[in-house]
Amino acid sequence: LRPMRWFLCLLCLQFAAFAAAICLEDGIGPLHRRNLSSEGGLRYPVGIWVNQWASGEIMAAMAQILIEEKLGFHVFTQKGPVTLAQMYAIAGCKTPTVKEDRGCEPAPKQTYFHVGMEGWTGYNRPIWDDLQRDFPATAPVNVGHIGYNGEAGQYVMPEVLQPAQAEGLYLEFYRSYNASHHPGRFFHRISAVKTSDLKPCNETYLVDPALMKTYLEVTGDLHGVELLNGTVRGKCFQDYFWFPPACRLESSSPCFLFLTSSGYEYHMMMQRATIFDMPVVPVDVLDWNTYTKLAMEISALFYWWEPDPTFIGRGVQMVSYPRYNGSAWDQGLQVSMTESVPLEKYVSYDLEVVAPTVKELISAFSLNLDVVNGLLLAQKIHSSSAMDTACSWLKESRTVWEEWLPDTTKCFPQFGLFDELAEVFLHSREGNTSHFTCKACPSGTFSAPLRDKKGLTFVCRSCAPGFIQSLGASTACEPCPVGQHQEDSGASTCSRCAVGSYQNATGQSLCKKCPEKRTTLGLAAEALAECVCKAGLIEVEGQCVPCIEGLHCPIGSTIEGLLTALPSVNESDDGAQRPCLLPGYNSDPQNPLAIYRCRDHCPGGSPGSCSDGYTGVTCAECPRGTFESLQGRCAKCVEGNTGFWLIAGAILLLSGVFPAYVLLTEPYSPKSRVTGVVITVLGLLVTVVQNLLVIRTAPTTWPSVMLVATNVLSGVTLDPQLVGAACVGFDAVTMYFLRVLVFPVVIGILLLMFAVTQLFPSLFHCVIRGLLACYRPLAKIAKMPMPSIKAYQPWTWYGTACVIGKFCQVTFPTMANVGLSPMMCYSHPGGQMWSVVSYSSTACGTNEHVWMLIVGGVLLTFTTAFLVLCIWAGHSAPRLSLRGQAAVKFLFEDFRPDMVFFGVVTLMRGACLSLPSVFVPNRPNVQLVMMHSVMLISLVLQGYCQPWKSPVLNLVDTIAQCLFLTLLGVGLGGLEHSEAAVEVLHGFGTMVCISQFVVFGLVLSTLSVALLLDKFFRSEALGRYCSALGEAPNSALIMFLLENLASSIQKNASHRRSISSALDQLGTHDARMILMALVILESEIGLSATKAAGISLPRDAAVTRMSNTSEPSRVSAGIPTAAAKRRKAKRLSQVEFGKWMQSQECLKSQESQGSLTNQVSPGSLKNQVSQESLKSPESQKSLKSQDSLKDVVSEEPDDMVAQAF
């Protein structure tokens, strides 16, 4: 409710102010006055706290009139009884008149009283000091003396003074009151006052223990006090009086009264009466009115102060005591004159900001005591109000108060001249100054002194360029600090130096530009030293030079920063803010700007940083005592480890080479076997791994799964480094020589075994028996058949040649890549140095590289010779002898009879994948495109030809090549430097790699399980089903359909024209399939369509030779013969068809059923079956089954055919 009450009071006062008439003729009317405004936007009038005594009210009224009518502010007032209330009110306390709680807690934040007149600070010094200490933010401000002092003391009426002076006693001096002078004869006796007008003793200072104790100490008057309950009290007589020593004896001088109100100087009068032996009895009158009445009616000493109108005009006189003694007063001895108290003026803490002119007015306000007493007397005579009295004096004394008014052009520091009409700050006060005022200088300016003929004032001047003032109301501008500038005048803020500039001095208008090629790391650079090299440059010996490829050079790059870069860093990391090597690059710490491009193991960061334990400028060398393991890292050498792996490899080679020889020398069969399919799938897997190892040399981002898998499976390349050959101490060139020697060493071992089996056959058979003895327990457990020792005969030259050819065929991609490796040189950044791709520690053009070229050239010559030999063998095999065909059987044993050339295609593919790295070693995109083209051509040929004997092999090879092409596409995408794209491609490439190996794993596991189940159940159905991707056609059914086809042709010979027309309508693919079927029937089975026309085709010489050989099961290759037979049958069929067409021209007029019947006999199909095939038991059994099947289905042939399909 208190805030509401304050608000209502303010409204009432505001209304009264508007309704009141102005005092001064030129005063500002209520409608033109303004309120104060706080920082929060709150608006309120100037508040004046009025002390509730006559002079205080008149002084407050004068201030109110001048503030309202001369300064133009709205004013409201409130009265209080004492100076203490005035102090608390101006400090912002909410209830300043309540003694128990002044309302100062919590600490005030805002005050609504701004002015206080005639404050008795001296009497209230402790409270004043407490306010300054407890509330420093809102404590009132003392603005000086009001012009007169407050005087208080003991006064005497002139009616008493005059008779005493007539008798020579001057009662205006304290010595005249000594009891020896009997001053009581001039005053009324004590009985003249009624005790009902007095306060009893227990309501006076007599009951104040502290004052009474002090009295006893300074006077020693034991009879004037009494001890009650351990406390000292003044001794009370007749319940209302205290008698000094001069009044306690019956013979004493007549005693008189000292009248006071509210106890003023009561205890002081007790000390004076005792020490100066004065017969004066102090009494405390009941109230103020009774006090003034008694002082007028009886003759007595009384307490009074000035200025006050109570006894003004009566001629009262103050009794003089010894001059004021401050030290004695501090000790409690208060018999000297009361100190004259300077009356002062108070203003609020914020008045200087919200209304500086009001503060200036109050500060200048000054009157002397005579003027104040005159005002009090005039008010008393005319019984006028304080406002009327003040107004009358202001009208009559204009010259006095006009000097108090602030000169609107006299500005103080922090302020400047302001034209309110034009609303601009001025730099002089010439001309009409009526609308000039002072206003706090805004930000961007400062208050500068201006001395002219009118004196000293202040004006607001703009800050010069390079200087600013942000706060306003300031007397000086501040210079812009280093790193900042300000080119405009009158600015409130400095601008930071832009990037690429600096400022090393204060108070500058412009920043200095950094030297060319240099910039700063940010804004507000403070020195030339902060100018660093721009991005893409690096500081070398004080010069900024361009960063070459492989270096990441952000702003501020230096050689020192490069050497202290993080060991590994990506451009997106925090460490990329310092220069560093990018991943894939390295350099020597002794020459950090000589950048080397790495193939692997270069994480970037600081020069000399290699991962996985590698060393060297290209991170391609394992330290001494370590070797490159299958995991792709440098592993510690273990004593005997290399020998162990060499022995293990030799054992593995010896244990596998004999079964390989047996398998490779078996007769060719157009029908695939499950065991052969599994071996071929393993060969495809080896080829895929070799091709992956070839393409990973392309410098792009490959999936980590691919890198790990190729590292683990890289043993298929027969790299001696993987078995720890480096532990012997060989360097990179020697390791390359060893890798090249692996191939001739293996070939030499195979030739050695051929020689051993030929020269020492008995020893060979002993070894075979030992191996079979070890194999027998395993065969029993797995229920697998035991191979016969007869199958292991001494090696023949053509069988050995086939095994060597198979080894070269399987490892051909690796041989080609190893042979081409010395020719694969890539350039390092700057193009001044080249390194071998696979041996990056070897520089191209050096002696070591020349030796590598020589050795690699020898291997490449052998590889080329092998490829040429295979091309020749694929073309000339049908014309070779049986042993010659057996020697090249490795080339086409896995392919269909009509696809004997596809083995050359696979070899060409392996060689061509390595060539791009030779032609364009520094263009990874071109490399990958060329590799992509090679694989795409291979895939097209694979899809068109379907060369493999087994359908599952065609499917696996197609899928593998498709995934390989996809992986090359991922590699192309890996060249993009977009982090998001690389991340997506990495995930996709990982899926492709996993899919690649999952396909091989599923096929191998499926075929292996099928093979084991077939061995267990002594059947081949499941394995054939899996390898053929379904059931194989029934031979009996095929025979039945052929016989019915021949019969159908014979019966429908009259419809030749319709059959020929229907054949013309067939699609090309269907027609070719029919022709191919007829060719296969003739070449493979022996059925000849030309024989039906009376033409006899000679049997192939190869068949005759194969039937006469003593070792047909070990010599016959089969594929060249079958392919040649197919091609020859096709050519001869076309020739005889031409002859048959000529004969038909002669028989057009004789087209009859009989003549057609003579050309094709019912039993011709069966008669055309080779007699050699009918001799075997299997053929006899097949014919019997065909006859029985014919008998069964003869009744319902259509249903049987439908069921078969």
Side-chain angles (χ1 to χ4, degrees):
L1 294 176
R2 286 180 179 175
M4 181 61 69
R5 183 176 65 185
W6 278 92
F7 180 74
L8 293 175
C9 291
L10 290 175
L11 287 179
C12 294
L13 293 171
Q14 189 84 1
F15 179 80
F18 274 86
I22 63 175
C23 170
L24 304 176
E25 294 180 356
D26 58 348
I28 300 173
L31 296 178
H32 297 88
R33 298 171 190 167
R34 61 187 184 277
N35 286 320
L36 304 179
S37 179
S38 67
E39 294 180 357
L42 184 64
R43 303 181 69 84
Y44 47 87
V46 177
I48 299 179
W49 186 271
V50 182
N51 285 325
Q52 204 169 0
W53 53 79
S55 59
E57 292 176 352
I58 294 175
M59 297 302 104
M62 285 186 182
Q64 179 179 352
I65 293 172
L66 293 177
I67 292 172
E68 288 181 336
E69 299 186 20
K70 299 308 295 181
L71 302 185
F73 288 97
H74 291 297
V75 175
F76 82 97
T77 61
Q78 185 170 337
K79 296 182 178 181
V82 291
T83 298
L84 286 179
Q86 184 183 58
M87 292 178 179
Y88 283 115
I90 297 176
C93 298
K94 298 178 180 178
T95 54
T97 58
V98 179
K99 294 182 180 180
E100 293 77 11
D101 182 12
R102 303 286 183 177
C104 299
E105 297 295 340
K109 296 182 179 180
Q110 179 68 44
T111 180
Y112 295 98
F113 292 99
H114 308 89
V115 177
M117 306 297 289
E118 203 177 271
W120 293 65
T121 311
Y123 280 178
N124 302 277
R125 178 62 63 182
I127 302 299
W128 175 271
D129 294 339
D130 291 343
L131 286 173
Q132 300 297 322
R133 182 189 68 249
D134 297 338
F135 310 109
T138 59
V141 179
N142 190 333
V143 293
H145 192 217
I146 199 171
Y148 54 90
N149 292 346
E151 303 285 349
Q154 301 167 6
Y155 286 80
V156 61
M157 288 291 185
E159 292 84 355
V160 177
L161 291 174
Q162 292 173 1
Q165 289 177 358
E167 295 185 10
L169 189 64
Y170 297 95
L171 295 179
E172 59 266 38
F173 300 104
Y174 76 97
R175 292 185 181 275
S176 298
Y177 288 90
N178 188 276
S180 61
H181 299 296
H182 302 287
R185 65 182 185 275
F186 301 104
F187 296 92
H188 285 96
R189 300 291 187 268
I190 296 175
S191 58
V193 64
K194 298 179 180 179
T195 56
S196 59
D197 294 333
L198 305 177
K199 292 180 180 179
C201 292
N202 58 4
E203 294 181 11
T204 65
Y205 282 131
L206 293 175
V207 296
D208 188 326
L211 291 177
M212 294 301 102
K213 183 178 180 181
T214 302
Y215 168 79
L216 179 60
E217 290 174 352
V218 299
T219 64
D221 181 17
L222 296 174
H223 299 287
V225 297
E226 60 184 356
L227 188 64
L228 184 63
N229 296 329
T231 59
V232 180
R233 295 181 54 175
K235 192 170 184 178
C236 184
F237 298 90
Q238 301 174 10
D239 296 329
Y240 289 92
F241 305 100
W242 174 86
F243 292 148
C247 298
R248 296 173 191 163
L249 300 176
E250 295 181 359
S251 59
S252 60
S253 173
C255 297
F256 54 93
L257 297 173
F258 167 70
L259 303 176
T260 184
S261 177
S262 301
Y264 288 114
E265 296 197 0
Y266 186 98
H267 63 288
M268 295 166 58
M269 193 68 248
M270 291 175 62
Q271 293 185 24
R272 290 169 178 170
T274 302
I275 293 174
F276 298 134
D277 195 21
M278 301 169 61
V280 181
V281 178
V283 292
D284 196 351
V285 182
L286 191 61
D287 53 48
W288 178 257
N289 292 330
T290 305
Y291 162 74
T292 57
K293 176 184 176 184
L294 291 176
M296 296 290 187
E297 292 179 352
I298 65 174
S299 298
L301 288 175
F302 57 91
Y303 173 78
W304 192 45
W305 70 91
E306 295 181 277
D308 184 73
T310 305
F311 303 107
I312 199 168
R314 294 295 301 273
V316 297
Q317 189 71 34
M318 179 186 290
V319 177
S320 297
Y321 285 94
R323 183 177 297 178
Y324 172 74
N325 188 340
S327 60
W329 272 69
D330 293 339
Q331 296 175 6
L333 181 59
Q334 301 176 353
V335 296
S336 59
M337 287 289 290
T338 304
E339 181 184 13
S340 178
V341 179
L343 302 185
E344 296 169 325
K345 302 159 292 184
Y346 310 143
V347 297
S348 64
Y349 69 97
D350 60 346
L351 189 61
E352 185 176 11
V353 176
V354 296
T357 55
V358 175
K359 179 183 178 182
E360 186 178 353
L361 170 64
I362 301 303
S363 298
F365 191 104
S366 180
L367 290 174
N368 58 43
L369 187 59
D370 293 336
V371 174
V372 175
N373 286 332
L375 289 171
L376 293 174
L377 182 59
Q379 180 187 27
K380 187 174 184 179
I381 294 173
H382 299 292
S383 300
S384 59
S385 65
M387 186 64 71
D388 292 338
T389 302
C391 181
S392 298
W393 185 87
L394 290 174
K395 290 178 179 180
E396 296 172 357
S397 307
R398 193 177 188 93
T399 56
V400 177
W401 57 261
E402 280 184 343
E403 296 182 358
W404 306 341
L405 295 176
D407 182 1
T408 56
T409 65
K410 184 180 180 181
C411 301
F412 295 94
Q414 299 180 334
F415 293 84
L417 283 173
F418 184 77
D419 189 337
E420 291 183 322
L421 188 61
E423 295 185 349
V424 294
F425 283 92
L426 304 171
H427 293 158
S428 67
R429 46 181 173 179
E430 298 176 354
N432 183 11
T433 61
S434 60
H435 49 274
F436 289 4
T437 187
C438 293
K439 191 173 182 180
C441 292
S443 58
T445 63
F446 68 102
S447 181
L450 174 66
R451 188 175 296 276
D452 55 12
K453 60 184 180 180
K454 294 183 179 180
L456 180 65
T457 188
F458 284 82
V459 295
C460 295
R461 298 191 184 277
S462 298
C463 293
F467 291 80
I468 56 101
Q469 183 49 255
S470 59
L471 300 178
S474 300
T475 58
C477 292
E478 299 175 358
C480 289
V482 292
Q484 301 186 29
H485 73 105
Q486 181 52 258
E487 52 186 313
D488 299 326
S489 59
S492 59
T493 58
C494 294
S495 300
R496 293 182 293 178
C497 290
V499 174
S501 61
Y502 70 98
Q503 182 51 260
N504 56 357
T506 61
Q508 300 301 309
S509 59
L510 296 174
C511 292
K512 302 174 183 178
K513 293 291 185 181
C514 288
E516 187 180 2
K517 296 183 180 180
R518 290 182 178 268
T519 185
T520 57
L521 294 176
L523 302 174
E526 299 179 359
L528 177 61
E530 295 187 45
C531 291
V532 296
C533 293
K534 295 180 179 179
L537 303 174
I538 187 168
E539 185 172 348
V540 180
E541 296 180 353
Q543 301 295 323
C544 293
V545 299
C547 277
I548 62 176
E549 179 188 353
L551 268 182
H552 170 65
C553 296
I555 295 176
S557 297
T558 62
I559 290 293
E560 293 75 14
L562 175 62
L563 293 174
T564 57
L566 299 178
S568 177
V569 67
N570 293 321
E571 290 188 48
S572 58
D573 296 339
D574 294 339
Q577 296 307 314
R578 67 179 71 184
C580 62
L581 292 168
L582 294 176
Y585 296 89
N586 193 21
S587 67
D588 188 348
Q590 302 301 324
N591 188 12
L593 293 184
I595 309 300
Y596 294 85
R597 183 183 287 108
C598 304
R599 310 305 294 183
D600 294 299
H601 314 295
C602 287
S606 60
S609 297
C610 297
S611 61
D612 299 324
Y614 286 86
T615 59
V617 291
T618 58
C619 296
E621 302 174 1
C622 284
R624 182 174 295 275
T626 61
F627 70 100
E628 185 176 7
S629 65
L630 290 175
Q631 291 76 26
R633 60 174 60 94
C634 293
K636 291 184 178 180
C637 295
V638 179
E639 185 175 356
N641 186 58
T642 303
F644 169 78
W645 284 111
L646 290 176
I647 295 173
I651 294 174
L652 183 63
L653 177 63
L654 292 175
S655 61
V657 70
F658 294 107
Y661 179 86
V662 173
L663 291 174
L664 288 171
T665 55
E666 287 184 353
Y668 170 79
S669 173
K671 179 181 292 186
S672 61
R673 293 180 300 175
V674 181
T675 305
V677 172
V678 172
I679 295 174
T680 305
V681 171
L682 289 173
L684 286 175
L685 176 59
V686 171
T687 302
V688 168
V689 172
Q690 293 179 87
N691 291 338
L692 289 176
L693 287 167
V694 170
I695 68 169
R696 68 172 286 176
T697 58
T700 184
T701 303
W702 295 110
S704 57
V705 172
M706 169 186 161
L707 300 178
V708 173
T710 52
N711 284 335
V712 173
L713 299 175
S714 59
V716 300
T717 63
L718 304 179
D719 189 353
Q721 187 169 340
L722 300 177
V723 298
C727 295
V728 182
F730 297 143
D731 57 5
V733 178
T734 308
M735 293 301 301
Y736 177 72
F737 292 169
L738 291 177
R739 190 171 188 188
V740 171
L741 287 175
V742 166
F743 304 103
V745 165
V746 174
I747 294 173
I749 291 174
L750 295 176
L751 293 174
L752 178 63
M753 295 181 68
F754 163 71
V756 169
T757 59
Q758 289 290 333
L759 298 176
F760 307 100
S762 58
L763 177 62
F764 171 71
H765 283 290
C766 291
V767 173
I768 295 300
R769 288 190 183 93
L771 293 175
L772 292 178
C774 296
Y775 175 74
R776 186 174 291 107
L778 297 175
K780 289 182 178 180
I781 296 174
K783 295 185 178 181
M784 298 179 65
M786 278 292 297
S788 173
I789 193 171
K790 296 180 179 180
Y792 295 94
Q793 299 297 327
W795 286 19
T796 62
W797 69 266
Y798 42 84
T800 304
C802 187
V803 174
I804 292 174
K806 191 65 176 180
F807 167 74
C808 294
Q809 182 191 30
V810 171
T811 61
F812 188 81
T814 300
M815 278 199 301
N817 185 262
V818 172
L820 292 170
S821 291
M823 304 178 188
M824 301 178 187
C825 290
Y826 70 96
S827 64
H828 294 288
Q832 298 178 358
M833 184 176 179
W834 294 64
S835 291
V836 180
V837 171
S838 300
Y839 301 89
S840 55
S841 60
T842 302
C844 294
T846 59
N847 293 332
E848 294 83 357
H849 180 236
V850 172
W851 281 108
M852 291 177 68
L853 285 173
I854 294 174
V855 175
V858 173
L859 179 61
L860 193 60
T861 301
F862 172 78
T863 305
T864 305
F866 176 75
L867 179 61
V868 172
L869 177 63
C870 291
I871 295 174
W872 173 81
H875 180 266
S876 305
R879 296 187 295 274
L880 297 176
S881 64
L882 289 178
R883 288 179 175 81
Q885 294 175 16
V888 296
K889 176 176 174 286
F890 68 89
L891 187 62
F892 27 71
E893 64 168 339
D894 296 322
F895 300 103
R896 287 169 27 203
D898 55 335
M899 292 295 163
V900 293
F901 66 90
F902 213 84
V904 177
V905 172
T906 58
L907 293 177
M908 295 286 290
R909 179 184 64 193
C912 291
L913 283 176
S914 298
L915 291 178
S917 296
V918 177
F919 297 147
V920 282
N922 296 309
R923 300 293 297 275
N925 52 345
V926 179
Q927 289 183 36
L928 292 172
V929 170
M930 294 175 68
M931 292 177 181
H932 197 278
S933 301
V934 171
M935 292 303 301
L936 190 61
I937 293 173
S938 174
L939 179 62
V940 170
L941 292 175
Q942 164 68 27
Y944 178 76
C945 298
Q946 295 289 299
W948 301 97
K949 290 190 297 185
S950 174
V952 73
L953 291 176
N954 287 310
L955 178 62
V956 170
D957 195 13
T958 302
I959 294 175
Q961 293 190 55
C962 288
L963 293 175
F964 200 90
L965 278 169
T966 306
L967 198 58
L968 288 172
V970 171
L972 274 172
L975 296 174
E976 185 178 351
H977 294 292
S978 172
E979 185 175 344
V982 170
E983 184 176 354
V984 173
L985 287 172
H986 186 274
F988 182 67
T990 300
M991 295 175 57
V992 172
C993 289
I994 294 175
S995 301
Q996 185 85 270
F997 293 103
V998 166
V999 168
F1000 283 99
L1002 287 176
V1003 172
L1004 286 173
S1005 59
T1006 302
L1007 292 176
S1008 300
V1009 171
L1011 185 62
L1012 291 175
L1013 291 176
D1014 285 345
K1015 294 293 183 181
F1016 185 80
F1017 293 106
R1018 300 182 182 279
S1019 171
E1020 296 183 0
L1022 183 59
R1024 290 179 178 178
Y1025 183 88
C1026 294
S1027 62
L1029 297 179
E1031 293 184 0
N1034 190 306
S1035 61
L1037 177 61
I1038 294 175
M1039 187 63 193
F1040 165 75
L1041 294 176
L1042 287 174
E1043 290 180 350
N1044 280 275
L1045 177 63
S1047 177
S1048 176
I1049 293 175
Q1050 181 181 6
K1051 293 177 180 179
N1052 296 285
S1054 58
H1055 301 289
R1056 275 181 37 250
R1057 291 181 179 274
S1058 59
I1059 294 175
S1060 177
S1061 177
L1063 289 173
D1064 290 338
Q1065 299 299 319
L1066 289 177
T1068 304
H1069 179 72
D1070 295 337
R1072 287 177 178 174
M1073 292 293 290
I1074 292 175
L1075 183 59
M1076 179 58 67
L1078 293 175
V1079 171
I1080 292 174
L1081 286 173
E1082 180 174 352
S1083 63
E1084 301 296 330
I1085 299 177
L1087 299 180
S1088 176
T1090 58
K1091 286 183 179 181
I1095 302 171
S1096 177
L1097 295 178
R1099 295 292 304 276
D1100 192 274
V1103 178
T1104 304
R1105 289 195 301 268
M1106 183 174 63
S1107 61
N1108 294 330
T1109 182
S1110 60
E1111 289 184 288
S1113 61
R1114 289 286 170 254
V1115 179
S1116 175
I1119 291 181
T1121 303
K1125 285 161 56 180
R1126 292 187 185 184
R1127 291 195 296 270
K1128 184 179 292 185
K1130 189 174 181 180
R1131 288 195 303 270
L1132 293 177
S1133 297
Q1134 292 175 348
V1135 171
E1136 297 304 326
F1137 174 70
K1139 295 179 181 179
W1140 178 74
M1141 287 295 292
Q1142 291 177 2
S1143 67
Q1144 295 305 308
E1145 294 291 335
C1146 300
L1147 298 176
K1148 285 185 180 179
S1149 59
Q1150 301 179 4
E1151 292 180 356
S1152 62
Q1153 182 68 29
S1155 62
L1156 291 174
T1157 305
N1158 291 331
Q1159 296 174 15
V1160 180
S1161 62
S1164 61
L1165 285 174
K1166 186 175 298 184
N1167 292 330
Q1168 294 172 11
V1169 177
S1170 175
Q1171 295 300 320
E1172 289 81 1
S1173 63
L1174 295 178
K1175 294 178 181 179
S1176 63
E1178 290 80 2
S1179 300
Q1180 297 290 338
K1181 184 177 180 181
S1182 175
L1183 290 175
K1184 291 180 181 180
S1185 62
Q1186 293 174 14
D1187 293 337
S1188 61
L1189 180 62
K1190 183 176 180 181
D1191 295 337
V1192 172
V1193 300
S1194 61
E1195 299 178 357
E1196 298 178 345
D1198 295 336
D1199 294 340
M1200 187 63 184
V1201 174
Q1203 182 178 2
F1205 282 102

